[in-house]
Amino acid sequence: MITRKTLMLLAAFVGGIVLMQILPESWLFRGADREMTSTDEGMGGFACPMFCVVVEEMPGNEKCPVCGMKLAPVATESRLDAHERFMTGLQASRLEEIPLVRSVRLTGEVDYDEDLVEVLSARSSGWVESLLARKTWQEVVKDEEVLRLYSPELYAAQDEFLVLLAGGREVEIDA
């Protein structure tokens, strides 16, 4: 005698077989066994599970050239509906190469080569009237005017020198 429990199991089994015949194959088997290639729709290539490398075409040995693990297909299209994407905060985009740039802020001290520094000093009182070199370490060429200096002591010395050169006559001085 067939019990009610056995009849229910038999009906469920037959119903499952009927559903397998009616439903499309893509609903029943999600493609875990199916071989995927880079030409499949929505495929972006193949990636290493350790994120070493992403390639567009599967190499002959199907292994990552960096770590040797088997490459897995990478989909560029989301299989989630709009509500699921919103709830998870997922944003999908195509794979692309971007330059890796890292900005690093450091503190430190910048010093100059003291062997290249020359100090010229006019040992007299006075002041700089105009400074023609505007930047630190600005390159200057020989005989180029760098600054204009006014010094009463240097002016008097120049005046005396020019008077002696002129033979005792008064000379007009360009200051």
Side-chain angles (χ1 to χ4, degrees):
M1 177 160 193
I2 299 175
T3 63
R4 184 173 182 190
K5 191 176 188 179
T6 308
L7 279 174
M8 291 295 272
L9 283 173
L10 185 60
F13 181 71
V14 170
I17 291 177
V18 169
L19 274 175
M20 282 179 62
Q21 297 300 320
I22 294 172
L23 294 175
E25 185 177 325
S26 64
W27 288 17
L28 298 174
F29 305 103
R30 270 290 160 132
D33 301 337
R34 192 176 84 119
E35 265 314 300
M36 292 188 172
T37 64
S38 62
T39 58
D40 288 347
E41 184 142 342
M43 294 306 298
F46 299 90
C48 174
M50 298 298 291
F51 302 107
C52 298
V53 69
V54 176
V55 293
E56 289 184 18
E57 294 182 20
M58 178 71 81
N61 62 358
E62 298 183 358
K63 294 197 175 189
C64 173
V66 176
C67 67
M69 293 185 73
K70 185 175 180 189
L71 295 176
V74 179
T76 58
E77 294 179 2
S78 173
R79 293 193 175 106
L80 302 174
D81 63 22
H83 178 71
E84 290 170 328
R85 282 195 305 269
F86 175 75
M87 294 301 288
T88 58
L90 177 70
Q91 294 179 356
S93 62
R94 288 210 171 274
L95 293 175
E96 61 184 58
E97 286 187 28
I98 58 172
L100 296 177
V101 178
R102 169 181 265 171
S103 296
V104 179
R105 289 183 170 215
L106 301 172
T107 58
E109 186 175 313
V110 177
D111 207 355
Y112 55 90
D113 186 2
E114 292 181 0
D115 294 334
L116 300 176
V117 176
E118 291 186 30
V119 178
L120 300 174
S121 60
R123 302 195 194 292
S124 68
S125 61
W127 58 87
V128 174
E129 287 186 329
S130 63
L131 182 63
L132 303 172
R134 293 288 180 192
K135 295 186 288 189
T136 304
W137 304 114
Q138 176 179 339
E139 286 192 27
V140 292
V141 295
K142 185 176 180 179
D143 296 330
E144 181 180 0
E145 190 175 5
V146 177
L147 62 92
R148 292 189 181 139
L149 176 73
Y150 177 76
S151 169
E153 294 172 2
L154 289 177
Y155 184 76
Q158 177 185 356
D159 190 25
E160 287 176 18
F161 177 71
L162 290 174
V163 167
L164 287 174
L165 277 180
R169 292 176 285 135
E170 282 292 320
V171 179
E172 190 174 320
I173 300 173
D174 261 348

